[in-house]
Amino acid sequence: MDKVIIAENLSLSYKEFETIISKANFSIDAGSFVFITGASGSGKSTLLKSFYGAIEPRAGSLMVGGVKMNRISTGKLNFLRRHVGIVFQDYKLIKEWTIEKNVMLPLIISGYTKDVSGAQVQKLLGHVKLIHQSGKYPPELSGGEQQRVAMARALAHNPILILADEPTGNL
């Protein structure tokens, strides 16, 4: 089975002498469903951030979807992010955009036509039972509804990898 993530002696930190994760070794097979658990502040979100390039490895190596995350170029990072779906802990919905347009964002970035994007968004909003909210804006929804919008957005472009930080926190 192909490995979608490979970490070798991976160390992550935000400051030079404040290591959050030290010398981690693991791999994740394509098609796997993996939960990362631990106490608050133990580095779960930091690890997820490294998977989509928001934090670079301090030491060791990290490969995600065949892309080496150490000193990754902007072009390769953009390529990777077009193939990853992310449900952020705080959702990161655009407050000035409708729910429909928020879900459409990855499709817009990937260059899909309006017809294809619209059909995909309607399907996903139906799946998360929010089709009736498509014209509303994020502040008009409950926390759980916003989280379902974030999940639909993460799935919109049929990603090869889905990362979810506290995906059931408000559900």
Side-chain angles (χ1 to χ4, degrees), residues 99 103 121-133 144-153 155 171:
I99 298 312
V103 175
V121 168
Q122 293 305 304
K123 180 177 114 184
L124 287 166
L125 286 177
H127 186 69
V128 298
K129 299 182 180 6
L130 288 173
I131 198 100
H132 63 288
Q133 305 281 36
E145 288 171 325
Q146 288 182 45
Q147 195 157 24
R148 287 187 280 153
V149 171
M151 288 180 184
R153 182 184 58 198
L155 296 169
L171 300 178

Side-chain angles (χ1 to χ4, degrees), residues 20 55 68-69 94 109 114 127:
I20 307 294
I55 180 173
K68 187 168 182 161
M69 301 304 288
I94 300 169
I109 291 168
K114 187 169 179 136
H127 186 69

Side-chain angles (χ1 to χ4, degrees), residues 42-96:
S42 63
K44 302 178 299 292
S45 295
T46 300
L47 184 60
L48 283 178
K49 287 177 182 179
S50 73
F51 294 164
Y52 62 84
I55 180 173
E56 227 178 86
R58 174 73 62 188
S61 69
L62 177 63
M63 295 278 290
V64 178
V67 176
K68 187 168 182 161
M69 301 304 288
N70 304 64
R71 294 173 186 66
I72 187 170
S73 70
T74 302
K76 282 188 180 182
L77 184 58
N78 289 337
F79 171 82
L80 176 69
R81 288 181 178 170
R82 282 194 298 274
H83 294 66
V84 174
I86 306 168
V87 179
F88 296 96
Q89 191 171 19
D90 60 354
Y91 322 132
K92 302 223 184 295
L93 300 175
I94 300 169
K95 293 175 183 165
E96 299 82 16

Side-chain angles (χ1 to χ4, degrees), residues 1-10 12 21 24-36 44 46-53 57 61-70 80 83-86 160-164:
M1 192 171 236
D2 290 332
K3 306 288 183 195
V4 71
I5 297 176
I6 302 169
E8 295 176 348
N9 293 313
L10 177 65
L12 301 171
I21 294 176
N25 291 288
F26 60 89
S27 63
I28 299 174
D29 293 329
S32 295
F33 194 87
V34 177
F35 282 95
I36 300 171
K44 302 178 299 292
T46 300
L47 184 60
L48 283 178
K49 287 177 182 179
S50 73
F51 294 164
Y52 62 84
S61 69
L62 177 63
M63 295 278 290
V64 178
V67 176
K68 187 168 182 161
M69 301 304 288
N70 304 64
L80 176 69
H83 294 66
V84 174
I86 306 168
I160 61 166
L161 175 64
I162 299 170
L163 304 172

